[in-house]
Amino acid sequence: MTTLGVLMMAYGTPRNLDEVEAYYTDIRRGRRPTPEQLADLVRRYQAIGGVSPLYEITVRQAQAVERVLNGQGGRFRVYLGMKHTAPRIAEAVAAMHRDGIDRAIAIVLAPHYSALSVETYHEQARPAAEKLGLELACVNQWHLEPRFLDALAARVEEALARCEDPRRAMVIFTAHSLPARILEMGDPYVDQLHESGEAVAKRLGLSHYTFGWQSAGRTAEPWLGPDLLEMLPTVAQDGYREVVVCSQGFVADHLEVLYDVDIEAKQHAERLGLRLVRTRQMNDDPDFIQAVADVIERARREQG
Ligand code: FEC
């Protein structure tokens, strides 16, 4: 049996505060942030303890997926490639090639597809693989993978159980906002977020739920809305006292969850008399790891 490579791709995070400027510049495609923008980002990292746990979690996710896939009788080797920090996606592809791997599945640790998110990972992976003659099958989306939906539903149920009155709590499914121009591009991102949220709502029989956006970039162009922060006053005015936020577009604890939801949105909610309960992130929990392994197995069968 030959070894099949798995190129697991994730966002990447600075390892310390000194790396924040280079990281931010990379996210901005080479444009350095202003001193004010940089100071604001450093402040947010400081607020979550100075560093984000994202990289360590991503490593654990990759190791766990490899263990599950090989435990199911396969012969896989998972390589981690980051979009904005080392080890870069192209480096991971090169490492695979050095190890004699000529076929691989590429998966981004973000379930919903957008040309402005998942595709930007593939844009780094495909040319690197082509150059080395490595056959790469890229998974575009996996937001409806059954065990991913089970994992999401379990977390919403668990968060509702932490509410004083679960039947009267509003559930908001959120994802990272993107520039609103994706709407004119026929991008499936918005529909896919509704599809996974609706599937979870149906499984749990939810009657109070809605969709919102979070963590919009600090740029001049319009971003998808409404933003979670803008939605909270309406939720409070509608008489809700508790709100469950399910950041379904993210699969790990990181800045956009630990700061944007746990600090910023929670404080805003408190000022409005609302109690905000966040669903537990997937991280390397076994149910989620099995779901990712299922996605990869399916892609392997399709690759033939
Ligand atoms: O914990 C950490 O250190 C990293 C957290 C982190 C994740 C993440 C995920 C996504 N982003 C997506 C899109 C954009 C677009 C821009 C943008 C900007 C930032 C900035 C930081 C940042 N993102 Fe991010 N993102 C994370 C962190 N993101 C920091 C810069 C400062 C700020 O605006 O807050 C705007 C780029 C521009 O300026 O042109 C667009 C999307 C995801 C979810 C999918 C994925 O994980 O790839 C989409 C985690």
Side-chain angles (χ1 to χ4, degrees), residues 112-301:
H112 309 84
Y113 178 87
S114 168
L116 298 188
S117 78
V118 166
E119 192 58 31
T120 62
Y121 291 82
H122 293 167
E123 281 165 3
Q124 293 188 26
R126 280 202 196 96
E130 262 164 39
K131 204 173 79 186
L132 299 169
L134 202 144
E135 189 190 322
L136 198 65
C138 294
V139 176
N140 277 342
Q141 63 270 311
W142 44 275
H143 65 297
L144 295 180
E145 184 64 38
R147 286 203 261 212
F148 170 64
L149 294 176
D150 289 346
L152 214 45
R155 281 156 185 74
V156 174
E157 199 169 28
E158 185 189 86
L160 282 167
R162 278 187 270 140
C163 293
E164 274 161 30
D165 189 355
R167 283 159 313 163
R168 299 207 60 254
M170 172 61 92
V171 177
I172 308 183
F173 292 100
T174 65
H176 202 295
S177 183
L178 281 175
R181 65 188 144 89
I182 66 161
L183 299 174
E184 284 108 62
M185 291 160 52
D187 196 273
Y189 188 64
V190 178
D191 286 346
Q192 291 190 359
L193 286 151
H194 281 95
E195 284 164 8
S196 51
E198 291 290 350
V200 169
K202 197 167 163 205
R203 271 166 204 236
L204 298 177
L206 298 181
S207 38
H208 306 275
Y209 67 95
T210 184
F211 295 87
W213 303 98
Q214 61 167 93
S215 316
R218 287 136 170 90
T219 64
E221 67 181 327
W223 287 65
L224 295 175
D227 187 272
L228 174 62
L229 298 181
E230 288 161 22
M231 293 171 79
L232 294 173
T234 317
V235 172
Q237 273 156 26
D238 288 346
Y240 292 94
R241 290 288 159 263
E242 290 174 301
V243 59
V244 167
V245 175
C246 174
S247 295
Q248 59 156 339
F250 298 129
V251 299
D253 283 313
H254 50 60
L255 187 73
E256 317 293 75
V257 173
L258 301 175
Y259 183 82
D260 295 358
V261 180
D262 287 1
I263 297 179
E264 195 178 36
K266 208 169 253 183
Q267 283 174 357
H268 193 54
E270 268 165 24
R271 284 193 292 269
L272 297 160
L274 271 173
R275 181 165 164 254
L276 188 154
V277 178
R278 174 177 61 81
T279 57
R280 199 160 47 85
Q281 282 299 110
M282 301 287 169
N283 298 329
D284 59 341
D285 292 356
D287 55 349
F288 172 66
I289 296 301
Q290 183 62 59
V292 175
D294 290 351
V295 176
I296 294 164
E297 272 293 1
R298 190 189 312 282
R300 181 188 63 79
R301 286 196 299 275

Side-chain angles (χ1 to χ4, degrees), residues 11-14 23-24 27-29 31 41 44-45 52 54 83 108-110 116-117 121 176-179 189 215-219 223 249-250 254-256:
Y11 207 79
T13 184
Y23 175 69
Y24 205 169
I27 290 176
R28 292 164 49 88
R29 293 170 299 280
R31 283 176 301 124
L41 184 53
R44 284 182 275 146
Y45 277 110
S52 161
L54 180 60
K83 188 159 81 162
V108 180
L109 287 174
L116 298 188
S117 78
Y121 291 82
H176 202 295
S177 183
L178 281 175
Y189 188 64
S215 316
R218 287 136 170 90
T219 64
W223 287 65
F250 298 129
H254 50 60
L255 187 73
E256 317 293 75

Side-chain angles (χ1 to χ4, degrees), residues 3-21:
T3 302
L4 186 65
V6 175
L7 174 63
M8 188 167 281
M9 295 177 283
Y11 207 79
T13 184
R15 279 170 304 175
N16 53 56
L17 292 178
D18 292 336
E19 286 185 6
V20 173
E21 184 170 8

